[in-house]
Tab-separated table of all heavy atoms in Angstrom:
chain	number	residue	atom	x	y	z
C	148	GLY	N	-6.132	-1.804	3.846
C	148	GLY	CA	-4.756	-1.365	4.080
C	148	GLY	C	-4.448	-0.242	3.236
C	148	GLY	O	-4.939	-0.139	2.055
C	149	LEU	N	-3.475	0.608	3.641
C	149	LEU	CA	-3.025	1.811	2.815
C	149	LEU	C	-1.513	1.905	2.938
C	149	LEU	O	-0.956	1.865	4.021
C	149	LEU	CB	-3.690	3.060	3.312
C	149	LEU	CG	-5.158	3.116	3.320
C	149	LEU	CD1	-5.675	4.268	4.182
C	149	LEU	CD2	-5.665	3.204	1.851
C	150	CYS	N	-0.870	2.116	1.784
C	150	CYS	CA	0.569	2.445	1.820
C	150	CYS	C	0.797	3.871	2.096
C	150	CYS	O	-0.228	4.609	2.229
C	150	CYS	CB	1.177	2.014	0.388
C	150	CYS	SG	0.593	3.042	-0.880
C	151	PHE	N	1.975	4.352	2.201
C	151	PHE	CA	2.306	5.762	2.477
C	151	PHE	C	1.553	6.713	1.495
C	151	PHE	O	0.878	7.623	1.827
C	151	PHE	CB	3.791	5.999	2.530
C	151	PHE	CG	4.593	5.622	3.704
C	151	PHE	CD1	5.428	4.607	3.615
C	151	PHE	CD2	4.224	6.165	4.932
C	151	PHE	CE1	6.187	4.212	4.768
C	151	PHE	CE2	4.892	5.747	6.063
C	151	PHE	CZ	5.891	4.740	5.976
C	152	SER	N	1.749	6.373	0.219
C	152	SER	CA	1.130	7.246	-0.798
C	152	SER	C	-0.388	7.296	-0.798
C	152	SER	O	-0.963	8.388	-0.835
C	152	SER	CB	1.653	6.760	-2.195
C	152	SER	OG	1.103	7.507	-3.205
C	153	CYS	N	-0.951	6.066	-0.658
C	153	CYS	CA	-2.451	5.959	-0.736
C	153	CYS	C	-2.998	6.595	0.613
C	153	CYS	O	-4.083	7.199	0.546
C	153	CYS	CB	-2.902	4.583	-0.855
C	153	CYS	SG	-2.552	3.952	-2.553
C	154	LEU	N	-2.254	6.553	1.719
C	154	LEU	CA	-2.666	7.112	3.007
C	154	LEU	C	-2.803	8.562	2.819
C	154	LEU	O	-3.799	9.236	3.310
C	154	LEU	CB	-1.780	6.698	4.143
C	154	LEU	CG	-2.042	7.346	5.511
C	154	LEU	CD1	-3.431	6.940	6.026
C	154	LEU	CD2	-0.947	6.925	6.527
C	155	GLU	N	-1.835	9.183	2.206
C	155	GLU	CA	-1.840	10.694	2.025
C	155	GLU	C	-3.073	11.097	1.168
C	155	GLU	O	-3.775	12.004	1.458
C	155	GLU	CB	-0.500	11.234	1.378
C	155	GLU	CG	0.647	11.030	2.193
C	155	GLU	CD	0.488	11.792	3.579
C	155	GLU	OE1	0.082	12.964	3.612
C	155	GLU	OE2	0.817	11.164	4.604
C	156	ASP	N	-3.283	10.370	0.124
C	156	ASP	CA	-4.423	10.607	-0.754
C	156	ASP	C	-5.750	10.390	-0.012
C	156	ASP	O	-6.692	11.149	-0.127
C	156	ASP	CB	-4.512	9.602	-1.961
C	156	ASP	CG	-3.273	9.944	-2.971
C	156	ASP	OD1	-2.701	11.030	-2.849
C	156	ASP	OD2	-3.028	9.080	-3.736
C	157	HIS	N	-5.736	9.393	0.824
C	157	HIS	CA	-6.901	9.025	1.671
C	157	HIS	C	-7.284	10.189	2.592
C	157	HIS	O	-8.468	10.471	2.898
C	157	HIS	CB	-6.677	7.725	2.443
C	157	HIS	CG	-7.862	7.018	2.924
C	157	HIS	ND1	-8.691	6.240	1.986
C	157	HIS	CD2	-8.386	6.819	4.095
C	157	HIS	CE1	-9.723	5.748	2.714
C	157	HIS	NE2	-9.549	6.035	3.913
C	158	LYS	N	-6.226	10.802	3.194
C	158	LYS	CA	-6.420	11.884	4.180
C	158	LYS	C	-6.973	13.203	3.550
C	158	LYS	O	-7.583	13.931	4.236
C	158	LYS	CB	-5.080	12.158	4.812
C	158	LYS	CG	-4.682	11.182	5.864
C	158	LYS	CD	-3.353	11.563	6.552
C	158	LYS	CE	-2.884	10.573	7.521
C	158	LYS	NZ	-1.579	10.938	8.093
C	159	VAL	N	-6.676	13.377	2.248
C	159	VAL	CA	-7.126	14.611	1.602
C	159	VAL	C	-8.384	14.432	0.765
C	159	VAL	O	-9.025	15.407	0.321
C	159	VAL	CB	-6.068	15.266	0.796
C	159	VAL	CG1	-4.884	15.683	1.652
C	159	VAL	CG2	-5.499	14.333	-0.283
C	160	ASN	N	-8.877	13.164	0.501
C	160	ASN	CA	-9.938	12.955	-0.253
C	160	ASN	C	-11.171	13.287	0.524
C	160	ASN	O	-11.388	13.009	1.690
C	160	ASN	CB	-10.020	11.431	-0.645
C	160	ASN	CG	-11.137	11.075	-1.629
C	160	ASN	OD1	-12.266	11.560	-1.465
C	160	ASN	ND2	-10.806	10.276	-2.590
C	161	LYS	N	-12.129	14.059	-0.183
C	161	LYS	CA	-13.301	14.561	0.528
C	161	LYS	C	-14.161	13.448	1.165
C	161	LYS	O	-14.722	13.615	2.235
C	161	LYS	CB	-14.122	15.306	-0.426
C	161	LYS	CG	-15.054	16.316	0.167
C	161	LYS	CD	-15.694	17.132	-0.950
C	161	LYS	CE	-16.127	18.527	-0.492
C	161	LYS	NZ	-16.721	19.377	-1.425
C	162	ALA	N	-14.203	12.288	0.387
C	162	ALA	CA	-15.035	11.200	0.912
C	162	ALA	C	-14.371	10.431	2.047
C	162	ALA	O	-15.103	9.801	2.848
C	162	ALA	CB	-15.373	10.257	-0.262
C	163	SER	N	-13.133	10.508	2.167
C	163	SER	CA	-12.439	9.629	3.164
C	163	SER	C	-11.595	10.375	4.255
C	163	SER	O	-10.980	9.741	5.099
C	163	SER	CB	-11.546	8.602	2.496
C	163	SER	OG	-10.584	9.248	1.727
C	164	LYS	N	-11.565	11.687	4.140
C	164	LYS	CA	-10.626	12.422	5.058
C	164	LYS	C	-11.064	12.332	6.523
C	164	LYS	O	-10.292	12.464	7.440
C	164	LYS	CB	-10.551	13.864	4.620
C	164	LYS	CG	-11.738	14.742	4.787
C	164	LYS	CD	-11.366	16.117	4.295
C	164	LYS	CE	-12.635	16.946	4.253
C	164	LYS	NZ	-12.230	18.354	3.747
C	165	LYS	N	-12.275	11.981	6.863
C	165	LYS	CA	-12.719	11.806	8.246
C	165	LYS	C	-12.685	10.284	8.702
C	165	LYS	O	-13.066	10.068	9.844
C	165	LYS	CB	-14.146	12.346	8.393
C	165	LYS	CG	-14.242	13.844	8.254
C	165	LYS	CD	-15.519	14.436	8.483
C	165	LYS	CE	-15.603	15.922	8.402
C	165	LYS	NZ	-16.837	16.497	8.626
C	166	HIS	N	-12.207	9.453	7.835
C	166	HIS	CA	-12.063	8.060	8.225
C	166	HIS	C	-10.998	7.924	9.256
C	166	HIS	O	-10.106	8.640	9.362
C	166	HIS	CB	-11.713	7.164	6.995
C	166	HIS	CG	-12.809	6.969	6.065
C	166	HIS	ND1	-12.733	6.051	5.034
C	166	HIS	CD2	-14.069	7.583	5.957
C	166	HIS	CE1	-13.864	6.175	4.330
C	166	HIS	NE2	-14.705	7.050	4.922
C	167	GLN	N	-11.237	6.906	10.124
C	167	GLN	CA	-10.202	6.555	11.206
C	167	GLN	C	-9.214	5.573	10.709
C	167	GLN	O	-9.593	4.486	10.163
C	167	GLN	CB	-11.021	5.962	12.393
C	167	GLN	CG	-10.028	5.686	13.568
C	167	GLN	CD	-10.750	4.903	14.702
C	167	GLN	OE1	-11.939	4.651	14.571
C	167	GLN	NE2	-10.000	4.677	15.687
C	168	THR	N	-7.984	5.974	10.701
C	168	THR	CA	-6.900	5.012	10.427
C	168	THR	C	-6.002	4.786	11.554
C	168	THR	O	-5.846	5.644	12.439
C	168	THR	CB	-6.036	5.717	9.249
C	168	THR	OG1	-5.475	6.957	9.696
C	168	THR	CG2	-6.790	5.899	7.998
C	169	ILE	N	-5.505	3.547	11.560
C	169	ILE	CA	-4.520	3.145	12.631
C	169	ILE	C	-3.297	2.486	12.011
C	169	ILE	O	-3.437	2.058	10.902
C	169	ILE	CB	-5.207	2.152	13.609
C	169	ILE	CG1	-5.703	0.941	12.942
C	169	ILE	CG2	-6.396	2.871	14.348
C	169	ILE	CD1	-6.240	-0.100	13.938
C	170	PRO	N	-2.182	2.302	12.743
C	170	PRO	CA	-1.104	1.643	12.122
C	170	PRO	C	-1.434	0.212	11.859
C	170	PRO	O	-2.212	-0.417	12.596
C	170	PRO	CB	0.059	1.807	13.292
C	170	PRO	CG	-0.400	2.996	14.097
C	170	PRO	CD	-1.864	3.040	14.092
C	171	VAL	N	-0.896	-0.332	10.811
C	171	VAL	CA	-1.266	-1.639	10.371
C	171	VAL	C	-0.894	-2.734	11.408
C	171	VAL	O	-1.623	-3.732	11.584
C	171	VAL	CB	-0.785	-1.972	8.979
C	171	VAL	CG1	0.777	-2.227	8.988
C	171	VAL	CG2	-1.463	-3.159	8.291
C	172	GLY	N	0.179	-2.445	12.217
C	172	GLY	CA	0.580	-3.392	13.217
C	172	GLY	C	-0.431	-3.496	14.327
C	172	GLY	O	-0.681	-4.527	14.816
C	173	GLN	N	-0.986	-2.299	14.619
C	173	GLN	CA	-2.059	-2.279	15.654
C	173	GLN	C	-3.295	-3.017	15.175
C	173	GLN	O	-3.908	-3.697	16.032
C	173	GLN	CB	-2.376	-0.849	15.989
C	173	GLN	CG	-3.308	-0.619	17.110
C	173	GLN	CD	-3.572	0.857	17.369
C	173	GLN	OE1	-2.894	1.713	16.818
C	173	GLN	NE2	-4.527	1.107	18.268
C	174	TYR	N	-3.617	-2.857	13.889
C	174	TYR	CA	-4.802	-3.521	13.254
C	174	TYR	C	-4.549	-5.103	13.340
C	174	TYR	O	-5.453	-5.857	13.671
C	174	TYR	CB	-4.995	-3.123	11.881
C	174	TYR	CG	-6.102	-4.001	11.242
C	174	TYR	CD1	-7.465	-3.897	11.560
C	174	TYR	CD2	-5.732	-5.050	10.259
C	174	TYR	CE1	-8.420	-4.643	10.992
C	174	TYR	CE2	-6.763	-5.812	9.782
C	174	TYR	CZ	-8.061	-5.627	10.103
C	174	TYR	OH	-9.085	-6.470	9.549
C	175	VAL	N	-3.382	-5.564	13.090
C	175	VAL	CA	-3.104	-6.988	13.116
C	175	VAL	C	-3.326	-7.598	14.434
C	175	VAL	O	-3.812	-8.718	14.498
C	175	VAL	CB	-1.653	-7.240	12.616
C	175	VAL	CG1	-1.217	-8.651	12.859
C	175	VAL	CG2	-1.407	-6.893	11.113
C	176	GLU	N	-3.054	-6.801	15.491
C	176	GLU	CA	-3.323	-7.227	16.859
C	176	GLU	C	-4.793	-7.478	17.157
C	176	GLU	O	-5.158	-8.412	17.845
C	176	GLU	CB	-2.748	-6.293	17.836
C	176	GLU	CG	-1.194	-6.265	17.886
C	176	GLU	CD	-0.673	-5.182	18.803
C	176	GLU	OE1	-1.380	-4.687	19.612
C	176	GLU	OE2	0.581	-4.910	18.691
C	177	ILE	N	-5.682	-6.668	16.581
C	177	ILE	CA	-7.063	-6.672	16.842
C	177	ILE	C	-7.885	-7.337	15.782
C	177	ILE	O	-9.119	-7.461	15.795
C	177	ILE	CB	-7.664	-5.356	17.208
C	177	ILE	CG1	-7.518	-4.281	15.991
C	177	ILE	CG2	-7.043	-4.761	18.407
C	177	ILE	CD1	-8.312	-3.080	16.081
C	178	GLU	N	-7.212	-7.798	14.680
C	178	GLU	CA	-7.923	-8.301	13.510
C	178	GLU	C	-8.827	-9.381	13.822
C	178	GLU	O	-10.057	-9.511	13.232
C	178	GLU	CB	-6.858	-8.728	12.459
C	178	GLU	CG	-7.444	-9.202	11.179
C	178	GLU	CD	-6.309	-9.629	10.185
C	178	GLU	OE1	-5.219	-9.789	10.520
C	178	GLU	OE2	-6.756	-9.765	8.953
C	179	SER	N	-8.427	-10.358	14.619
C	179	SER	CA	-9.378	-11.468	14.924
C	179	SER	C	-10.636	-11.135	15.520
C	179	SER	O	-11.724	-11.645	15.298
C	179	SER	CB	-8.600	-12.515	15.748
C	179	SER	OG	-8.282	-11.973	17.011
C	180	VAL	N	-10.578	-10.074	16.429
C	180	VAL	CA	-11.743	-9.565	17.075
C	180	VAL	C	-12.585	-8.680	16.068
C	180	VAL	O	-13.848	-8.887	16.033
C	180	VAL	CB	-11.395	-8.672	18.280
C	180	VAL	CG1	-12.687	-8.136	18.922
C	180	VAL	CG2	-10.664	-9.632	19.323
C	181	SER	N	-11.977	-7.881	15.398
C	181	SER	CA	-12.670	-7.009	14.413
C	181	SER	C	-13.347	-7.720	13.316
C	181	SER	O	-14.386	-7.265	12.784
C	181	SER	CB	-11.794	-5.921	13.817
C	181	SER	OG	-10.834	-6.440	12.923
C	182	SER	N	-12.872	-8.885	12.946
C	182	SER	CA	-13.548	-9.705	11.883
C	182	SER	C	-14.751	-10.254	12.327
C	182	SER	O	-15.653	-10.619	11.537
C	182	SER	CB	-12.591	-10.815	11.405
C	182	SER	OG	-12.389	-11.724	12.425
C	183	LEU	N	-15.017	-10.376	13.678
C	183	LEU	CA	-16.324	-10.794	14.149
C	183	LEU	C	-17.438	-9.847	14.192
C	183	LEU	O	-18.548	-10.096	14.341
C	183	LEU	CB	-16.126	-11.394	15.672
C	183	LEU	CG	-15.060	-12.463	15.758
C	183	LEU	CD1	-14.908	-12.782	17.284
C	183	LEU	CD2	-15.544	-13.797	15.056
C	184	ILE	N	-17.025	-8.477	14.033
C	184	ILE	CA	-17.987	-7.430	14.163
C	184	ILE	C	-18.495	-7.120	12.707
C	184	ILE	O	-17.718	-6.731	11.807
C	184	ILE	CB	-17.347	-6.222	14.742
C	184	ILE	CG1	-16.854	-6.600	16.154
C	184	ILE	CG2	-18.318	-5.122	14.826
C	184	ILE	CD1	-15.989	-5.543	16.789
C	185	LYS	N	-19.791	-7.154	12.477
C	185	LYS	CA	-20.405	-6.820	11.231
C	185	LYS	C	-20.347	-5.311	11.143
C	185	LYS	O	-20.747	-4.590	12.040
C	185	LYS	CB	-21.846	-7.291	11.159
C	185	LYS	CG	-22.061	-8.737	11.063
C	185	LYS	CD	-23.510	-9.102	10.673
C	185	LYS	CE	-24.484	-8.342	11.572
C	185	LYS	NZ	-25.861	-8.618	11.327
C	186	GLN	N	-19.987	-4.852	9.953
C	186	GLN	CA	-19.922	-3.364	9.735
C	186	GLN	C	-20.881	-3.004	8.621
C	186	GLN	O	-21.234	-1.812	8.480
C	186	GLN	CB	-18.568	-2.932	9.421
C	186	GLN	CG	-17.584	-3.080	10.583
C	186	GLN	CD	-16.289	-2.480	10.353
C	186	GLN	OE1	-15.999	-1.861	9.299
C	186	GLN	NE2	-15.375	-2.632	11.298
C	187	ASP	N	-21.365	-3.918	7.840
C	187	ASP	CA	-22.327	-3.599	6.746
C	187	ASP	C	-23.555	-4.369	6.970
C	187	ASP	O	-23.659	-5.493	7.427
C	187	ASP	CB	-21.683	-4.006	5.383
C	187	ASP	CG	-20.478	-3.187	5.024
C	187	ASP	OD1	-20.505	-1.973	5.349
C	187	ASP	OD2	-19.486	-3.684	4.508
C	188	CYS	N	-24.681	-3.692	6.527
C	188	CYS	CA	-26.038	-4.345	6.668
C	188	CYS	C	-26.126	-5.440	5.632
C	188	CYS	O	-25.807	-5.355	4.405
C	188	CYS	CB	-27.075	-3.304	6.331
C	188	CYS	SG	-28.739	-3.925	6.274
C	189	GLU	N	-26.551	-6.617	6.096
C	189	GLU	CA	-26.587	-7.833	5.244
C	189	GLU	C	-27.724	-7.647	4.159
C	189	GLU	O	-27.597	-8.150	3.060
C	189	GLU	CB	-26.858	-9.080	6.001
C	189	GLU	CG	-25.563	-9.467	6.875
C	189	GLU	CD	-25.920	-10.695	7.757
C	189	GLU	OE1	-26.946	-11.237	7.699
C	189	GLU	OE2	-24.935	-11.093	8.449
C	190	GLU	N	-28.704	-6.880	4.574
C	190	GLU	CA	-29.879	-6.674	3.590
C	190	GLU	C	-29.653	-5.680	2.611
C	190	GLU	O	-30.090	-5.806	1.478
C	190	GLU	CB	-31.180	-6.450	4.503
C	190	GLU	CG	-32.408	-6.467	3.734
C	190	GLU	CD	-33.623	-6.295	4.648
C	190	GLU	OE1	-33.544	-6.572	5.849
C	190	GLU	OE2	-34.606	-5.768	4.194
C	191	HIS	N	-29.062	-4.590	2.968
C	191	HIS	CA	-28.911	-3.406	2.040
C	191	HIS	C	-27.474	-3.194	1.582
C	191	HIS	O	-27.236	-2.275	0.827
C	191	HIS	CB	-29.460	-2.133	2.759
C	191	HIS	CG	-30.895	-2.229	3.099
C	191	HIS	ND1	-31.321	-2.365	4.382
C	191	HIS	CD2	-32.020	-2.316	2.414
C	191	HIS	CE1	-32.657	-2.416	4.499
C	191	HIS	NE2	-33.099	-2.444	3.250
C	192	ASP	N	-26.581	-3.911	2.124
C	192	ASP	CA	-25.145	-3.756	1.761
C	192	ASP	C	-24.682	-2.295	1.962
C	192	ASP	O	-23.908	-1.705	1.096
C	192	ASP	CB	-24.877	-4.218	0.366
C	192	ASP	CG	-23.441	-4.497	0.090
C	192	ASP	OD1	-22.736	-4.956	1.011
C	192	ASP	OD2	-22.950	-4.343	-1.068
C	193	GLN	N	-25.119	-1.675	3.036
C	193	GLN	CA	-24.679	-0.373	3.460
C	193	GLN	C	-23.989	-0.391	4.800
C	193	GLN	O	-24.274	-1.281	5.577
C	193	GLN	CB	-25.910	0.578	3.437
C	193	GLN	CG	-26.428	0.922	2.116
C	193	GLN	CD	-27.235	2.285	2.211
C	193	GLN	OE1	-27.564	2.721	3.256
C	193	GLN	NE2	-27.544	2.814	0.983
C	194	ARG	N	-23.339	0.665	5.131
C	194	ARG	CA	-22.668	0.694	6.513
C	194	ARG	C	-23.636	0.846	7.540
C	194	ARG	O	-24.641	1.550	7.457
C	194	ARG	CB	-21.747	1.925	6.469
C	194	ARG	CG	-20.922	1.963	7.689
C	194	ARG	CD	-19.500	2.381	7.200
C	194	ARG	NE	-18.585	2.298	8.279
C	194	ARG	CZ	-17.669	1.363	8.414
C	194	ARG	NH1	-17.632	0.281	7.608
C	194	ARG	NH2	-16.821	1.350	9.376
C	195	LEU	N	-23.468	-0.008	8.633
C	195	LEU	CA	-24.340	0.133	9.808
C	195	LEU	C	-23.985	1.349	10.582
C	195	LEU	O	-22.792	1.521	10.995
C	195	LEU	CB	-24.160	-1.172	10.690
C	195	LEU	CG	-24.596	-2.459	10.066
C	195	LEU	CD1	-24.039	-3.627	10.901
C	195	LEU	CD2	-26.076	-2.509	9.926
């Protein structure tokens, strides 16, 4: 999650400016489904 201030920093940070952000209310609606999807490799602890 990101507050207003951190969201602005997140948008201009070189490492995170291309990240996809959505309103937190929208995330809450899909949270139960998204928690079922693995995003990191269990063996290497890196992003799939």
Side-chain angles (χ1 to χ4, degrees):
L149 301 165
C150 66
F151 283 115
S152 176
C153 291
L154 176 61
E155 292 304 314
D156 293 341
H157 202 72
K158 286 180 180 178
V159 295
N160 187 317
K161 203 173 208 176
S163 60
K164 67 181 174 183
K165 292 185 180 180
H166 286 188
Q167 180 186 3
T168 58
I169 60 172
V171 74
Q173 189 178 351
Y174 172 74
V175 169
E176 291 175 15
I177 62 167
E178 183 177 15
S179 60
V180 175
S181 68
S182 66
L183 299 173
I184 301 169
K185 289 191 312 181
Q186 293 187 4
D187 294 322
C188 176
E189 291 176 359
E190 190 174 331
H191 301 109
D192 200 30
Q193 286 199 350
R194 188 136 186 103
L195 294 168

